[in-house]
């Protein structure tokens, strides 16, 4: 028995907000879990402190599955990003503790390494197609085997995925949500030109990805997928909002461009139909927003039956704790596809020192016991919470649209 003695939540903002759960056992072991939900952070803080932590004290940290079921079924109100991020944080911290107790890196407990490294994709973005291609060449020179391309759209003042500080794109800001303007027609004219230019400049050996960020109708998505086929994209991400899983059938009827979806999913129920009907190629659910390693493994196992591979979300709002958890998971599953990797700032890396490292386009979680991530709490305390919102999006006539 590894008795849970204490647990607390730490909120810090080294450039952006992170919520971290720290669970301690009676024998002095501790584990970390990420609970960051971008733009809605404090809801998860309250969920953990007010409703979860009191139920954890005294339990056996070894009983990961039982504690997962206890929190999921015990809430009665199932699913949802706040609940599932809170459960994820507990799950990550318990896996961290178990692997530390075994004195092994977590991936060993998950079945051992299935590959030598985790292929990651970086984000190349620019105001123009030329600038984006230039940026992509920079990623290629750093060794990246896969690169996501997002460029500004002529006629629109700002576009999702494009920022001044290129390596460290962060959409959340402001005392109130930023308002962007969107035109599907203008966007649809730009993306094929971007892919044509990028394929020409980068050659055939690099994987090119694109995120539509939930902005098209199914028939528009089918059209975009078809128009990108000549440039062989690795995937088209979040082509339509996925509350309507059935919509992907329509997209599929029109294009062989591989489809990725799921960064906003929080349980297997959000992607079950998409997977079983073979309507997607990559599932993007991730450790922190989909109930932790325990639940993500369940999703990956279902996906494996249908040759659907993983492509875990890995934006900067997922802390180094999630990044480490994702890497142990990625290394250990048979149907890994690719891992998103947006570099954290130096301030964030200093608060969360970690064993994972990048080499030649691959990340490796390292061989430190547990997740291989720590938290410098004295440093974390120097960066108080700062409220930030994700943007909203309006059509040119002012209609509120999907961001
Ligand atoms: O779609 C992505 O890749 C991300 O940038 C998301 O917009 C972000 O993680 C939301 O918090
Ligand atoms: Mg995305």
């Amino acid at each position: 028995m590894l008795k849970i003695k204490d647990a607390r939540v730490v909120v810090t903002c080294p450039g952006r907000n992170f919520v971290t759960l720290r669970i301690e056992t009676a024998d002095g072991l501790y584990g970390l879990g990420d609970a960051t939900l971008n733009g809605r952070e404090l809801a998860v803080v309250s969920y953990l402190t007010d409703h979860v932590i009191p139920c954890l004290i005294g339990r056996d940290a070894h009983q990961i599955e039982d504690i997962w079921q206890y929190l999921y079924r015990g809430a009665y109100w199932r699913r949802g990003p706040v609940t599932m991020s809170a459960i994820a944080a507990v799950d990550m911290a318990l896996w961290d503790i178990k692997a530390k107790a075994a004195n092994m890196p977590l991936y060993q407990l998950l079945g051992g390494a299935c590959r030598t490294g985790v292929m990651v994709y970086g984000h190349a973005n620019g105001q123009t197609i030329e600038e984006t291609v230039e940026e992509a060449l920079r990623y290629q020179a750093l060794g990246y085997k896969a690169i996501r391309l997002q460029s500004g759209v002529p006629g629109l003042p700002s576009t999702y995925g494009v920022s001044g500080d290129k390596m460290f794109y962060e959409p959340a800001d402001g005392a109130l949500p930023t308002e962007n303007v969107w035109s599907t027609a203008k966007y649809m004219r730009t993306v094929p030109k971007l892919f044509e230019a990028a394929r020409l400049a980068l050659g055939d050996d690099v994987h090119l990805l694109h995120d539509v960020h939930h902005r098209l109708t199914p028939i528009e998505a089918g059209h975009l997928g078809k128009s990108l086929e000549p440039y062989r994209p690795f995937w088209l991400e979040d082509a339509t909002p996925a509350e309507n899983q059935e919509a992907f059938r329509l997209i599929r009827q029109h294009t062989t461009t591989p489809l990725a979806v799921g960064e906003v999913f929080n349980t297997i129920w959000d992607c079950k139909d998409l997977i079983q009907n073979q309507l997607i190629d990559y599932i993007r659910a991730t450790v922190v927003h989909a109930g932790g390693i325990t639940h993500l493994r369940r999703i990956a196992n279902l996906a494996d039956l249908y040759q659907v591979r993983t492509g875990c979300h890995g934006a900067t709002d997922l802390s180094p704790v999630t990044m480490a958890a994702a890497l142990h998971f990625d290394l250990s599953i048979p149907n890994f596809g690719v891992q998103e990797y947006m570099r954290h700032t130096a301030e964030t890396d200093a608060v969360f020192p970690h064993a994972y490292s990048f080499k030649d386009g691959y990340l490796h979680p390292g061989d430190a016991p547990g997740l291989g991530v720590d938290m410098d709490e004295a440093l974390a305390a120097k960066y108080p919470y700062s409220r930030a919102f994700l943007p909203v999006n309006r059509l040119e006539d002012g209609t509120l649209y999907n961001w």
Side-chain angles (χ1 to χ4, degrees):
M1 163 113 173
L2 259 178
K3 202 176 176 146
I4 297 175
K5 191 185 80 183
D6 201 7
R8 63 173 185 274
V9 179
V10 174
V11 181
T12 181
C13 186
R16 66 155 353 281
N17 293 311
F18 293 111
V19 176
T20 311
L21 174 70
R22 188 183 192 278
I23 298 181
E24 248 177 76
T25 69
D27 357 22
L29 281 177
Y30 67 91
L32 299 180
D34 180 21
T36 311
L37 183 61
N38 205 4
R40 294 293 186 268
E41 296 87 359
L42 299 185
V44 191
V45 175
S46 162
Y47 194 106
L48 282 169
T49 11
D50 297 327
H51 310 294
V52 171
I53 289 176
C55 305
L56 287 179
I57 310 302
R59 290 186 182 281
D60 182 359
H62 272 315
Q63 292 187 282
I64 297 178
E65 181 70 41
D66 182 71
I67 291 176
W68 196 97
Q69 299 295 338
Y70 182 91
L71 294 174
Y72 183 80
R73 293 170 199 261
Y76 183 64
W77 312 107
R78 298 182 183 198
R79 308 163 62 189
V82 175
T83 296
M84 297 312 288
S85 299
I87 293 178
V90 174
D91 189 76
M92 269 182 257
L94 295 181
W95 277 110
D96 191 18
I97 289 170
K98 192 186 278 296
K100 281 176 178 169
N103 198 29
M104 283 182 186
L106 175 60
Y107 71 84
Q108 295 294 13
L109 268 61
L110 300 178
C114 283
R115 52 194 55 81
T116 52
V118 171
M119 182 174 75
V120 296
Y121 70 91
H123 287 202
N125 72 80
Q127 297 298 341
T128 62
I129 290 175
E130 295 69 38
E131 218 180 286
T132 308
V133 170
E134 209 173 288
E135 188 68 8
L137 285 165
R138 211 152 75 84
Y139 275 92
Q140 201 176 27
L142 288 169
Y144 281 84
K145 311 283 181 266
I147 304 166
R148 188 185 94 157
L149 306 169
Q150 308 292 141
S151 107
V153 174
L156 296 183
S158 63
T159 314
Y160 163 77
V162 181
S163 70
D165 192 352
K166 294 202 167 52
M167 273 270 179
F168 303 106
Y169 172 71
E170 171 53 62
D173 65 7
L176 285 171
T178 301
E179 302 224 349
N180 294 332
V181 180
W182 178 251
S183 157
T184 295
K186 290 181 174 124
Y187 166 78
M188 296 278 270
R189 289 198 291 271
T190 310
V191 187
K193 290 183 201 154
L194 168 65
F195 268 71
E196 186 185 16
R199 196 41 97 193
L200 203 64
L202 297 159
D204 283 329
D205 278 341
V206 62
H207 299 302
L208 301 178
L209 295 75
H210 182 70
D211 190 350
V212 182
H213 224 258
H214 328 267
R215 286 162 189 207
L216 299 179
T217 64
I219 200 68
E220 289 165 350
H223 178 79
L224 181 65
K226 193 154 68 170
S227 63
L228 294 181
E229 281 170 20
Y231 317 112
R232 300 171 305 282
F234 184 89
W235 80 27
L236 194 62
E237 174 185 340
D238 287 339
T240 68
E243 288 98 322
N244 178 12
Q245 299 190 28
E246 186 64 24
F248 282 75
R249 195 181 297 282
L250 188 67
I251 307 175
R252 267 282 202 247
Q253 282 163 359
H254 294 283
T255 181
T256 55
T257 289
L259 302 173
V261 74
E263 68 183 34
V264 302
F265 291 174
N266 45 71
T267 68
I268 198 166
W269 306 103
D270 300 325
C271 52
K272 169 183 148 295
D273 295 349
L274 286 171
I275 291 171
Q276 288 181 329
N277 295 315
Q278 308 191 88
L279 300 179
I280 56 168
D281 301 281
Y282 295 93
I283 177 68
R284 282 182 50 70
T286 192
V287 182
V288 57
H289 300 137
I293 292 161
T294 297
H295 194 66
L296 200 60
R297 285 173 98 196
R298 204 154 273 146
I299 294 175
N301 284 340
L302 175 70
D304 189 38
L305 300 182
Y306 300 94
Q307 289 178 286
V308 173
R309 290 184 286 173
T310 64
C312 291
H313 188 206
T316 35
D317 47 300
L318 284 63
S319 92
V321 179
T322 285
M323 187 49 69
L327 294 173
H328 288 280
F329 167 81
D330 294 338
L331 204 64
S332 69
I333 56 164
N335 54 327
F336 165 75
V338 72
Q339 168 68 50
E340 183 178 25
Y341 174 47
M342 283 175 81
R343 288 162 189 264
H344 287 112
T345 59
E347 289 83 356
T348 297
D349 284 340
V351 171
F352 297 99
H354 51 77
Y356 62 80
S357 60
F358 174 88
K359 198 177 157 219
D360 274 342
Y362 296 90
L363 275 172
H364 193 282
D367 284 310
L371 290 170
V373 187
D374 219 328
M375 175 169 55
D376 181 336
E377 285 196 60
L379 193 56
K382 293 193 177 142
Y383 301 106
Y385 173 75
S386 161
R387 184 159 61 205
F389 290 96
L390 286 168
V392 297
N393 217 6
R394 290 186 189 276
L395 302 181
E396 287 164 306
D397 71 356
T399 307
L400 196 83
Y401 198 58
N402 311 311
W403 176 69

